């Protein structure tokens, strides 16, 4: 008789945008009790998810499932780095950056079905001055937006676009020097994003060709924009066509140092943080095991007309 595989499920009841009230029941119904020994934990305070994940490593469980928003998922993922445990994700936030990148359905039942498939792969992660990220980190406009939306209760694509427009007026392009083994670029930029994955979250693809398993990062450098550039750039961002933008430069590298004129805000997977004038970013290959679909659906770009309508709706609010 095969030994049951042990699963710890970590549910953050207050993170994300979806109610978790019926989630334990869905988990009990979805995960075969003859195959899995399931333990459900509800977090009660900041850092509790990390504590549970640390205990899971000591208990040598097979899978740890994080149910919540990006903060919960990233907190658990950071703790599991370097362990033999595979991370499962039930995305219940608005951005769902890592979940979307890994093709995890946002429907809880479908996400649980992915876990049942037990398809484990290893993905890369990054460090920016020692701070761990899985999708992106960056300076410039995206960091300003991250600071603006931080702590807001209302989340979603429309909110994200709305804050992009509001921040555009405030943002001033800086001169950045990006130094990597492949060469050096020094220029004014609106955005400098180091992308381990293709997107921030919200289906906003800053580096359409980034691969979370290739051991490299795509550095997206977007040169200063005028107000006339914004509609096209926004459409390209949400339709995975930003590489067609004439003001976009991309570098592919394992590590880089970003030098800027002054210290200030940087974002780490969408979370704003104060950082110095010099930032060292590196990718660590195959550092985290994750549960992903065996046969992920093909990605279809969003309808550009619908994106434009969403922008207009957000401005009018």
């Amino acid at each position: 008789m095969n030994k049951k595989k042990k699963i710890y499920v970590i549910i953050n009841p207050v993170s994300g945008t979806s109610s978790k009230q019926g989630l334990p029941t869905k988990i009990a119904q979805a995960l075969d009790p003859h195959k899995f020994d399931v333990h459900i934990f509800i977090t009660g305070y900041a850092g509790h998810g990390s504590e549970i994940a640390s205990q899971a490593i000591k208990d040598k469980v097979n899978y740890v499932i994080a149910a919540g928003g990006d903060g919960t998922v990233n907190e658990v993922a950071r703790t599991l780095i370097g362990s033999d445990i595979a991370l499962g994700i039930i995305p219940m936030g608005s951005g769902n950056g890592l979940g979307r990148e890994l093709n995890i359905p946002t429907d809880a039942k479908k996400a649980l079905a992915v876990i049942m498939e037990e398809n484990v792969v290893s993905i890369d992660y990054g460090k920016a001055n020692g701070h761990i990220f899985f999708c992106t980190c960056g300076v410039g406009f995206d960091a300003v937006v991250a600071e603006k939306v931080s702590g807001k209760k209302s989340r979603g694509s429309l909110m994200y676009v709305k804050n992009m427009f509001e921040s555009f007026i405030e943002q001033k392009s800086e001169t950045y020097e990006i130094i990597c083994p492949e060469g050096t670029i020094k220029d004014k930029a609106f955005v400098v994003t180091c992308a381990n994955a293709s997107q921030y979250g919200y289906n906003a693809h800053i580096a359409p060709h980034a691969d979370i398993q290739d051991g490299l990062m795509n550095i997206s450098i977007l040169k200063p924009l005028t107000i006339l550039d914004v509609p096209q750039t926004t459409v390209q961002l949400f339709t995975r066509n930003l590489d067609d933008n004439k003001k976009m430069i991309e570098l592919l590298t394992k590590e880089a140092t970003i030098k800027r004129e002054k210290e200030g805000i940087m974002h780490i997977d969408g979370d704003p943080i104060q950082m110095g004038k010099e930032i060292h970013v590196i990718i660590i290959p195959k550092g985290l095991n994750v549960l992903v679909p065996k046969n992920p659906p093909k990605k279809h770009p969003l309808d550009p007309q619908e994106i434009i309508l969403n922008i207009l709706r957000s401005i009018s609010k």
Side-chain angles (χ1 to χ4, degrees):
M1 184 176 179
N2 293 331
K3 186 179 178 181
K4 290 183 183 181
K5 291 185 177 178
K6 186 176 284 189
I7 298 179
Y8 280 10
V9 182
I10 301 172
I11 301 173
N12 187 335
V14 297
S15 78
T17 57
S18 303
S19 171
K20 322 295 188 308
Q21 191 171 358
L23 189 57
T25 301
K26 290 179 181 178
I27 292 167
Q29 292 172 344
L31 300 180
D32 186 351
H34 298 99
K35 191 175 181 180
F36 300 111
D37 178 18
V38 181
H39 300 257
I40 296 175
F41 300 86
I42 309 296
T43 60
Y45 49 86
H48 195 189
S50 179
E51 291 177 10
I52 298 167
S54 295
Q55 187 61 48
I57 296 172
K58 294 177 183 177
D59 295 343
K60 298 182 179 180
V61 310
N62 299 94
Y63 308 132
V64 171
I65 313 304
D70 285 338
T72 301
V73 172
N74 291 343
E75 177 185 334
V76 174
R78 285 192 294 267
T79 308
L80 296 180
I81 282 173
S83 75
D84 293 328
I85 297 173
L87 170 72
I89 300 172
I90 303 177
M92 306 192 81
S94 51
N96 297 321
L98 187 57
R100 291 183 196 272
E101 186 68 21
L102 298 175
N103 297 296
I104 308 297
T106 53
D107 177 83
K109 288 184 179 180
K110 292 179 180 179
L112 285 162
V114 170
I115 294 163
M116 285 288 289
E117 291 181 333
E118 297 188 80
N119 183 43
V120 179
V121 301
S122 295
I123 64 169
D124 309 331
Y125 69 96
K127 284 186 176 181
N129 283 0
H131 296 271
I132 293 170
F133 67 95
F134 297 97
C135 291
T136 63
C137 70
V139 292
F141 179 66
D142 53 1
V144 173
V145 173
E147 185 178 33
K148 197 173 187 68
V149 304
S150 179
K152 287 193 175 181
K153 293 181 179 179
S154 175
R155 297 291 183 100
S157 295
L158 288 182
M159 179 279 301
Y160 187 79
V161 172
K162 185 176 182 179
N163 280 280
M164 284 175 64
F165 271 88
E166 291 175 354
S167 300
F168 181 84
I169 300 171
E170 304 168 9
Q171 175 67 9
K172 293 182 179 179
S173 296
E174 292 184 47
T175 298
Y176 299 94
E177 185 177 12
I178 298 96
I179 305 164
C180 56
E182 293 75 14
T184 299
I185 290 178
K186 186 174 183 179
D187 207 343
K188 276 190 173 292
F190 187 61
V191 166
V192 178
T193 298
C194 300
N196 182 45
S198 69
Q199 65 171 286
Y200 298 121
Y202 302 100
N203 280 319
H205 292 262
I206 184 64
H209 301 296
D211 184 342
I212 203 167
Q213 292 181 280
D214 66 358
L216 301 168
M217 63 178 154
N218 293 54
I219 303 179
S220 296
I221 305 163
L222 190 60
K223 291 188 175 184
L225 302 176
T226 69
I227 192 67
L228 296 177
D229 296 320
V230 172
Q232 181 189 34
T233 303
T234 303
V235 169
Q236 290 172 331
L237 180 68
F238 282 95
T239 56
R240 292 192 288 271
N241 292 310
L242 195 57
D243 52 327
D244 292 335
N245 194 298
K246 293 180 180 179
K247 295 192 174 182
M248 175 64 76
I249 300 172
E250 281 193 291
L251 299 174
L252 190 63
T253 187
K254 291 182 179 179
E255 63 179 304
T257 298
I258 301 170
K259 295 183 179 181
R260 55 181 174 174
E261 298 168 5
K262 56 186 178 182
E263 62 182 31
I265 292 292
M266 180 182 195
H267 83 84
I268 305 288
D269 275 336
D271 288 330
I273 185 172
Q274 281 288 332
M275 201 74 81
K277 291 191 290 185
E278 189 168 312
I279 304 161
H280 181 249
V281 186
I282 187 169
I283 295 296
I284 293 88
K286 312 297 183 186
L288 177 69
N289 298 320
V290 291
L291 290 159
V292 300
K294 283 184 178 179
N295 300 300
K298 290 184 178 180
K299 293 182 178 180
H300 299 287
L302 297 176
D303 181 357
Q305 289 184 336
E306 183 62 25
I307 290 294
I308 292 171
L309 287 173
N310 283 345
I311 294 169
L312 293 174
R313 292 188 194 113
S314 70
I315 294 171
S316 66
K317 290 187 177 182

